[in-house]
Amino acid sequence: MKRLTAKEEEIMGFFWKKGPLFIRQLTDEYDEPKPHYNTLSTIVRGLEEKGYIGYTAFGNTYRYYALISEEEYSRKTLKNVISRYFDNSYTRVVSTLIEEENISIEELQALIQQIKNQKSE
C-alpha cells in the first residue's frame, strides 16, 4: 500500500465521511478559499492510481468512491509505523506510550483483559 500525503489523507477523509462524490461536490466540502477544481481532480486521479479511489462514469463526468475503508487504512498505516520506527516490536510501542503518554495501570489492565478476551474467543 502506497503512503498518502497529508492532502491525500484529507481528501480520503471526505470520501470516508460522505461516500461517493463528484469533484464539484468535493470542492464544496472546503471552506473559502476553496481549492481549484483541477487541483482536486489531479489529487483524486493520483489516489485512483494508488488504488484508493474508484469511479463510476456518468457521461463525461465521474463520481469517485473509496476502495479502502478508513479502518483498513488506519490498520495498515499503524503496521507501517510499527515496522518502520519500532522494528515490528509491539512491546516497544507500548513502552513508548507508557513513557510518553502516561498510560495508567488501569488502562494497561483493561488492554490486557481485552487481549485475554480475544484469545479465548
Side-chain angles (χ1 to χ4, degrees):
M1 182 168 79
K2 293 184 179 180
R3 292 179 51 165
L4 298 182
T5 65
K7 188 53 110 175
E8 288 171 331
E9 281 187 3
E10 178 182 87
I11 289 173
M12 285 301 299
F14 291 121
F15 287 106
W16 289 325
K17 288 179 184 127
K18 300 289 185 174
L21 296 167
F22 294 96
I23 299 295
R24 185 75 54 213
Q25 291 173 309
L26 186 59
T27 304
D28 292 341
E29 293 298 318
Y30 284 91
D31 294 329
E32 293 293 340
K34 294 182 183 295
H36 193 273
Y37 179 95
N38 290 342
T39 301
L40 291 178
S41 181
T42 299
I43 295 169
V44 168
R45 282 195 308 276
L47 287 167
E48 179 190 352
E49 290 173 13
K50 289 180 177 182
Y52 288 91
I53 297 286
Y55 66 87
T56 304
F58 291 91
N60 292 338
T61 189
Y62 301 94
R63 184 172 63 183
Y64 296 91
Y65 55 90
L67 293 174
I68 182 171
S69 71
E70 185 173 16
E71 293 79 21
E72 184 179 356
Y73 177 72
S74 295
R75 277 193 308 273
K76 288 183 178 183
T77 300
L78 179 59
K79 285 181 182 181
N80 184 25
V81 167
I82 292 169
S83 170
R84 188 173 187 177
Y85 299 104
F86 297 95
D87 293 329
N88 282 323
S89 171
Y90 288 84
T91 303
R92 284 185 57 199
V93 172
V94 173
S95 294
T96 301
L97 290 172
I98 291 168
E99 292 170 13
E100 300 296 325
E101 300 295 327
N102 299 322
I103 293 177
S104 69
I105 291 173
E106 293 80 16
E107 290 171 313
L108 286 173
Q109 288 172 336
L111 180 59
I112 291 167
Q113 187 59 48
Q114 181 182 356
I115 293 168
K116 286 180 180 179
N117 291 342
Q118 288 176 349
K119 296 282 184 189
S120 66
E121 291 177 356

